[in-house]
Amino acid sequence: MIGPADGAPAGAGDRRDRRDRGDRRDLRWPPGRPRILVTEAWLANAGDAAIAVALDRLVRRLSPTAAVLHAAYQHREIGPLVPELAVVPPLEELLGTPWSPAAPELADAGPALVEGADLVVAQGGGYLVEGYHPIARLGALAEVTRRALPLALFGVTVEPFRGALARRLLREVLGAAAVVVVRDDASCRAAADLGAPDALLGTDLAIGLFPEPPGAVAPTPPREGVSVVLTDHHADVASRPARQELATAVLARVAARSEDEPIRLWSTVQGLPEAAGEDDEAVARVALDELPAHLAARVEVVGGYLTPERAIGVVAGSRALVTMRLHPALFAAGTGTPAGLVLGGQRPRVLAGTALGAWVTDGDDLAAVSLLVDRVLAEPCPARWRWEALASLRRRLDASVDALRQLVEHPRAV
Amino acid sequence: MRTAGWIDRIEVDEATVSVVAVVATPGPPVTVLVRANGSVLGPAVADDDGRAWRSVVDRSRVPVGSVVFDALAVGGDGLVERLDPVRWAVASLAGVDRPPASHGSAPGPVGWVDHPVDGAEEREGVLEVAGWVSPPGEVDRIEVSVDGGPPDRARLLCSPRPDLVDHLGDAGAAMAGFWHLVDVAAAGLSGEVTVAIDAVGPQRRVPLARRCVRIGPIATEASDAERRWVAALAARADAAAARCVPGEGLGLVVVTHDLGLGGAQLWLQEILRPLLWQEDVRCTVLAPIDGPLRAELEAAGARVHLMGHLPTTGAAYESTVHELALLVGSDEANVVLVNTAAPRIGVDLAARCGLPSVWAVHDHYTEQAFWRCAFGRGAVDAHVRERGRVALDQAAAVCFVAEATRAVFAPDVDDERAVVVDYGIGLGALDAARRAVDRPAWRAAHGFHSDDVVVLCTGTVDARKSQAVLVAAFARVADRHPTARLVLVGAAGEAYERGTVDLAQALGVGARVRVVPATPDVTPWYVAADAFALASDLESLPRSLIEAMAHGLPLVATEVGGVAELVADGETGILCPARDVAALATALDRLLTMPAGDRAALGARAQAAVWPARDVHDYVDGVARLLRGLAKDPSASPRELLGTAARPA
């Protein structure tokens, strides 16, 4: 099980130590072996950042002498905010691909850095979605395999792909990867369709940030009000206006049914509109503008980028959560916070097979959304059973960690 | 071999020899051929109950001395069985010039025509001629003439006849079968016709049979219940097809006949390889059965769906359309590429889904010949035939690789939709692969001497490619060219291949003919070769010919399909008629007799003719323009998309 670094509370790493671990402006490996290059984190999404933190801790637990670098998107903007992670430019910038040429200043140093790795771990998340056009990412991962570097995909969602080029690259990557761990069973099927029938069923690594029940290690903070995470995010850009309408409806329902409680509007993706390409804070403000003044008066927008640590803190400080993004729901389960998830597509399948699966609706039916909000608001807090409900996912995580352990201990044996 | 009967008695008088054979097998034979010392004396006549068959021949045709008499019984299924022989002393008669018994046989081939049988009615739009003739060394060609018209040449040495080998005492009879198909409509035949089949050898012409056949209308029998059932299935398929909504980008569905390593499959690979590198391309390949190409296509990003054997009944056909329509709908496909004539269901599928289709026809068959060759006698019902005929009208573009093939389809495909895109191969890759081969080392490793003249033939070892004819032709010139070796690359373990090997042994060139399994990497063989031979009797424009020319090999080729569009006789190769052992032997002899310098010059001119004119880039670009253009605007003119003017039919 992944735990907080050095036994500290979740998210509270030794910042001074971590800050010294690597210089982000020159591309060099910090001391230590094996050298593990973790890729694919989209740090502008605090959910992805949480996965990166969890994976970082996991690797260091498996191999205390390891040197770990995160080749991450938004490394310049977010890296300083999450000092636990030693970050470098994303893999596609380091290696360059036909779809994203390397920056001239990285032309030599980038590939050298990557080739210096003993193991490349493509961390999980939901980026292998056709609508995101992840060709450059896949091209870079394919380049890793062509350089005969051991590669592990760890905790990813793989959606069905139809585009030939993406399928070609995915087949190449999945076929050459030493380990493929997906985070839901639908991804197993998609991976099999792409020539990887032996993908392991794992889970989202973020749940590894919560190895102990809420309150077991540190006292839970006082809880007040309801958190609401809104987004118009959708792989199909054309669907975003509809998602905005849904977000407005979700907020209105929460506001209408939460009586006099304060409402905090925030998201794991906000505060970096240019770097992230989206900003849920804007969505929140549009939704807020639609509320009647007497309801809007109870709503506070928590603006700016929230680190994983802060996002988890916001959830843990709320007595309930209604979210349109996945990771806040995982944070809620880990902190025993009643939560409902309004999200379609494959991502909610992370919760399939757990009791939390009953607290999900895809948003297509507003009546179902209203019912879900009512159930969440009516649930007593804290809800320790929610942490316990993750038991099956923790077991899957442990099984996949065993696979990773072998790679970390003997990376070049692959 | 089972005992089928025996020679019952022999009666010799001053003028004739009469041989009576008794046939003991169940079911009367079609005929009995009586032989003396292995040489056929002539057909016998049955008595009333069909058991005793008498052959009466002039005594001058029978050897003298101790003669072995036997007989071959030809069954209704075409199989031949031998009747037990007897040895008989035939005395010499003064004044009669007879061959001695040790001489064995009279000269000239012997054979039999299994199809058509006399008085038969043909109702499939084709007149099929099939039989056997032996020995192969004494046959140049088989001529088939209908109602006294100009003769066609039958495909010879094309079907294994192991049933003949023991009976004829000739290992070469393993490939004694011949075959020919006459498209009734194309030949303008109707009513009663007479078919004459002759074997033509170096010494003489031997009439094999004269048959009277009635040409009837194409059979369309189906019960009302069957028709209603097929109509219901069609309605269901149409409903599924109507739900298909084209997507963005290039949503390509490919329907192909095969996922093996043949030329048409490699054509598909060449087309798809660059297309699949484009980010907006989705591609699903539908094929009847699995093959080695599947892995490559999947690795290239295509989805491959195996749909089972192409349907031959209306119900199976409509069920398949239904299944595939669902698949096309889920893909948001917007254009369909159909590869070869056989999977024409793909054209129908596209039309019913409201999508344009590009139909790549490499096959040189006429319409009715196609059905017989692709599916066999009586295998396809009227509904499937009708849908196949309609497909010719439905394709948005019919894409040919040779003008000659376009001309074959001209009656059925209007000029606006029929386009010829000059076929090309990856010349750059070929050159790179060629440079990577160490010719002396390869030849040494494969047992060739430096002074051997290696004649190469690539392509699936198959009756259509006529490698057996090539072997027979090679055998005729082998003594004159003792350093010549023949290499056939493309074996797939079929009966035709085994028969070809047996034939080479029987003709005494087994040690000089090598049959090599089909391989995706033929380049080393081209590099190792000194010359190339194409013996095919049915082609559009064979890929192997372009490859050989690109490698600068001097070549001999049969003048079929579009071959003459690529090879100028005497300039860039030597052409000869197909289905003629003697003609091919003459052409081979001409090539092998050339001084090495002249052969090299011939090869160099061949190379210049295809380099760079036949590079794959232009070809792929043309097909891609068709696909993208039609995906964007299904009503677009194929000619305008290609920027070509109408060509004369």
Side-chain angles (χ1 to χ4, degrees):
Chain A
M1 182 56 59
I2 310 165
D6 305 326
D14 180 339
R15 293 184 176 189
R16 185 188 56 197
D17 179 51
R18 300 289 182 252
R19 198 176 301 122
D20 294 341
R21 187 165 285 155
D23 183 346
R24 297 179 187 86
R25 286 165 299 178
D26 63 354
L27 297 175
R28 283 184 302 189
W29 280 96
R33 277 291 167 96
R35 291 170 172 171
I36 314 291
L37 183 65
V38 179
T39 75
E40 307 311 313
W42 186 267
L43 294 177
N45 183 332
D48 253 25
I51 292 173
V53 169
L55 185 54
D56 194 275
R57 292 176 188 173
L58 169 62
V59 170
R60 293 180 192 285
R61 175 161 299 182
L62 295 175
S63 179
T65 62
V68 184
L69 285 179
H70 292 260
Y73 296 90
Q74 300 94 30
H75 62 105
R76 288 190 188 83
E77 298 86 349
I78 308 299
L81 304 177
V82 190
E84 189 173 352
L85 306 176
V87 295
V88 293
L91 191 64
E92 62 179 275
E93 280 185 37
L94 293 175
L95 290 177
T97 74
W99 306 275
S100 57
E105 64 272 21
L106 297 178
D108 297 324
L113 184 86
V114 175
E115 286 174 1
D118 297 309
L119 173 65
V120 177
V121 180
Q123 75 163 51
Y127 53 91
L128 292 181
V129 176
E130 188 152 42
Y132 293 164
H133 304 288
I135 297 297
R137 285 182 182 233
L138 291 171
L141 290 172
E143 191 57 35
V144 166
T145 66
R146 288 172 202 149
R147 292 170 192 245
L149 291 166
L151 172 69
L153 275 74
F154 206 72
V156 292
T157 287
V158 183
E159 288 205 345
F161 276 75
R162 296 180 306 167
L165 178 57
R167 287 177 65 86
R168 169 201 290 262
L169 294 171
L170 259 171
R171 289 185 76 91
E172 189 176 347
V173 169
L174 295 175
V179 169
V180 177
V181 179
V182 297
R183 62 178 184 176
D184 59 79
D185 56 356
S187 294
C188 280
R189 292 191 292 276
D193 176 51
L194 291 161
D198 299 325
L200 297 174
L201 179 58
T203 188
D204 191 293
L205 255 66
I207 74 161
L209 293 172
F210 309 97
E212 303 293 340
V217 174
T220 52
R223 294 177 181 269
E224 184 189 24
V226 179
S227 270
V228 178
V229 175
L230 302 178
T231 183
D232 66 348
H233 179 88
H234 198 283
D236 178 8
V237 176
S239 298
R240 293 195 172 177
R243 301 299 291 182
Q244 173 70 66
E245 288 182 17
L246 177 62
T248 303
V250 168
L251 178 61
R253 184 69 179 183
V254 172
R257 303 306 289 260
S258 57
E259 299 184 350
D260 295 332
E261 290 183 280
I263 297 170
R264 273 185 293 279
L265 270 180
W266 62 280
S267 174
T268 42
V269 182
Q270 62 180 27
L272 291 166
E274 289 186 5
E278 58 183 340
D279 186 10
D280 289 347
E281 187 176 327
V283 177
R285 294 198 182 282
V286 170
L288 186 55
D289 287 347
E290 296 288 322
L291 278 189
H294 71 284
L295 295 178
R298 285 193 281 119
V299 179
E300 172 198 5
V301 176
V302 181
Y305 179 78
L306 303 185
T307 63
E309 182 184 2
R310 181 141 183 245
I312 292 168
V314 172
V315 173
S318 303
R319 76 140 187 105
L321 167 74
V322 177
T323 174
M324 294 176 71
R325 285 195 180 267
L326 172 65
H327 280 98
L330 297 180
F331 300 163
T335 58
T337 307
L341 179 59
V342 182
L343 183 59
Q346 284 206 22
R347 285 190 176 82
R349 291 182 190 164
V350 169
L351 300 174
T354 74
L356 300 174
W359 295 76
V360 179
T361 186
D362 62 11
D364 289 344
D365 178 0
L366 281 181
V369 172
S370 297
L371 189 62
L372 179 71
V373 169
D374 292 353
R375 289 171 60 208
V376 170
L377 295 180
E379 186 177 358
C381 180
R384 184 186 164 105
W385 72 269
R386 287 179 173 269
W387 181 88
E388 291 165 349
L390 297 176
S392 62
L393 303 187
R394 277 191 286 270
R395 282 195 295 274
R396 281 175 14 196
L397 178 60
D398 288 344
S400 56
V401 165
D402 285 342
L404 187 62
R405 176 182 288 113
Q406 293 178 29
L407 280 179
V408 170
E409 290 175 354
H410 308 287
R412 290 288 180 179
V414 175
Chain B
M1 186 176 68
R2 63 193 169 127
T3 299
W6 58 88
I7 299 298
D8 190 60
R9 60 187 183 277
I10 296 170
E11 299 155 1
V12 181
D13 63 24
E14 287 196 354
T16 63
V17 175
S18 176
V19 182
V20 178
V22 172
V23 179
T25 50
V30 173
T31 194
V32 171
L33 304 173
V34 174
R35 306 191 303 176
N37 284 349
S39 180
V40 173
L41 297 177
V45 177
D47 64 8
D48 289 344
D49 65 5
R51 279 174 52 83
W53 293 70
R54 179 183 293 270
S55 176
V56 181
V57 297
D58 189 280
R59 250 190 96 161
S60 64
R61 294 190 56 202
V62 181
V64 295
S66 177
V67 178
V68 175
F69 290 92
D70 68 357
L72 303 177
V74 182
D77 52 8
L79 288 178
V80 176
E81 300 204 63
R82 186 188 182 198
L83 310 190
D84 279 356
V86 298
R87 185 174 289 277
W88 199 267
V90 180
S92 176
L93 283 178
V96 178
D97 184 17
R98 293 180 295 273
S102 58
H103 184 269
S105 61
V110 61
W112 183 253
V113 175
D114 298 320
H115 294 288
V117 296
D118 216 25
E121 182 177 34
E122 290 286 357
R123 296 191 61 192
E124 287 199 47
V126 289
L127 173 60
E128 182 179 15
V129 177
W132 56 268
V133 63
S134 185
E138 294 187 21
V139 182
D140 288 344
R141 61 186 184 273
I142 306 294
E143 290 187 350
V144 177
S145 173
V146 182
D147 279 346
D152 285 339
R153 288 175 183 166
R155 176 178 289 169
L156 72 165
L157 300 176
C158 66
S159 40
R161 292 297 301 260
D163 56 316
L164 293 174
V165 174
D166 288 341
H167 310 323
L168 299 180
D170 175 11
M175 288 293 278
F178 63 81
W179 178 87
H180 186 61
L181 217 51
V182 180
D183 186 313
V184 165
L189 305 181
S190 62
E192 298 276 345
V193 298
T194 302
V195 187
I197 303 104
D198 293 350
V200 181
Q203 307 299 327
R204 62 177 179 145
R205 170 185 296 269
V206 176
L208 294 177
R210 300 287 182 272
R211 299 284 162 80
C212 193
V213 181
R214 176 169 176 74
I215 306 297
I218 295 176
T220 56
E221 293 89 356
S223 69
D224 286 347
E226 277 177 305
R227 270 194 281 268
R228 280 197 300 273
W229 174 233
V230 171
L233 292 173
R236 197 178 64 165
D238 286 339
R243 289 195 289 272
C244 294
V245 178
E248 298 297 315
L250 183 61
L252 177 62
V253 168
V254 177
V255 189
T256 189
H257 66 309
D258 192 279
L259 293 173
L261 295 175
Q265 297 89 313
L266 295 173
W267 172 91
L268 183 62
Q269 215 176 358
E270 298 270 17
I271 294 293
L272 293 184
R273 192 176 288 141
L275 269 181
L276 296 182
W277 273 110
Q278 297 169 23
E279 194 178 347
D280 68 337
V281 174
R282 305 178 301 282
C283 178
T284 297
V285 177
L286 312 177
I289 55 172
D290 207 355
L293 193 55
R294 178 173 63 84
E296 288 202 32
L297 289 169
E298 288 184 337
R303 298 199 304 179
V304 178
H305 175 79
L306 303 177
M307 59 183 179
H309 288 289
L310 293 170
T312 55
T313 66
Y317 183 93
E318 292 303 331
S319 298
T320 304
V321 170
H322 186 190
E323 171 197 330
L324 299 183
L326 294 173
L327 202 70
V328 169
S330 73
D331 257 4
E332 297 182 357
N334 49 26
V335 66
V336 176
L337 172 64
V338 181
N339 184 34
T340 77
R344 54 182 63 194
I345 189 173
V347 179
D348 192 22
L349 170 72
R352 291 161 77 172
C353 291
L355 303 177
S357 59
V358 174
W359 190 359
V361 178
H362 318 266
D363 321 62
H364 205 71
Y365 296 112
T366 59
E367 180 63 1
Q368 299 307 328
F370 158 75
W371 291 110
R372 171 61 65 83
C373 295
F375 296 96
R377 176 184 279 269
V380 179
D381 76 8
H383 182 82
V384 177
R385 276 176 180 265
E386 174 59 14
R387 297 313 305 175
R389 189 196 63 74
V390 169
L392 291 166
D393 300 328
Q394 292 172 321
V398 185
C399 189
F400 301 101
V401 292
E403 284 288 350
T405 310
R406 189 178 73 88
V408 170
F409 280 75
D412 299 306
V413 182
D414 60 79
D415 197 47
E416 190 56 35
R417 294 181 299 127
V419 292
V420 175
V421 184
D422 288 340
Y423 185 31
I425 61 174
L427 294 175
L430 178 143
D431 192 43
R434 175 178 179 76
R435 290 175 193 280
V437 179
D438 181 339
R439 174 181 153 102
W442 176 274
R443 284 173 64 109
H446 290 78
F448 296 113
H449 298 296
S450 57
D451 57 348
D452 282 346
V453 177
V454 177
V455 179
L456 175 69
C457 174
T458 58
T460 308
V461 178
D462 171 286
R464 185 170 63 87
K465 302 281 184 184
S466 300
Q467 286 93 341
V469 174
L470 178 57
V471 165
F474 180 77
R476 290 195 185 183
V477 302
D479 286 347
R480 282 172 45 80
H481 306 283
T483 59
R485 301 284 183 273
L486 179 61
V487 177
L488 311 176
V489 178
E494 301 293 335
Y496 178 82
E497 169 202 329
R498 291 192 293 275
T500 301
V501 171
D502 291 345
L503 178 65
Q505 292 290 351
L507 296 177
V509 291
R512 294 169 61 181
V513 175
R514 185 175 303 182
V515 181
V516 179
T519 168
D521 184 15
V522 289
T523 299
W525 288 108
Y526 281 112
V527 174
D530 300 288
F532 183 82
L534 177 87
S536 300
D537 65 14
L538 193 74
E539 295 278 7
S540 186
L541 190 69
R543 176 191 177 86
S544 60
L545 195 63
I546 304 177
E547 289 177 338
M549 294 174 79
H551 281 282
L553 289 177
L555 62 90
V556 167
T558 44
E559 192 174 352
V560 291
V563 167
E565 296 168 33
L566 193 63
V567 178
D569 188 26
E571 182 64 24
T572 54
I574 296 172
L575 297 180
C576 64
R579 300 182 171 184
D580 189 325
V581 176
L584 184 57
T586 301
L588 267 179
D589 187 51
R590 192 176 148 202
L591 184 74
L592 294 172
T593 305
M594 277 183 178
D598 289 356
R599 274 210 308 265
L602 190 68
R605 289 194 296 272
Q607 193 172 43
V610 299
W611 204 298
R614 292 289 181 163
D615 187 57
V616 72
H617 180 269
D618 294 339
Y619 183 71
V620 171
D621 182 58
V623 177
R625 264 186 286 152
L626 277 178
L627 293 170
R628 283 198 179 274
L630 289 167
K632 193 173 176 184
D633 176 9
S635 64
S637 157
R639 289 200 177 282
E640 287 179 11
L641 290 171
L642 288 174
T644 58
R647 302 187 192 203

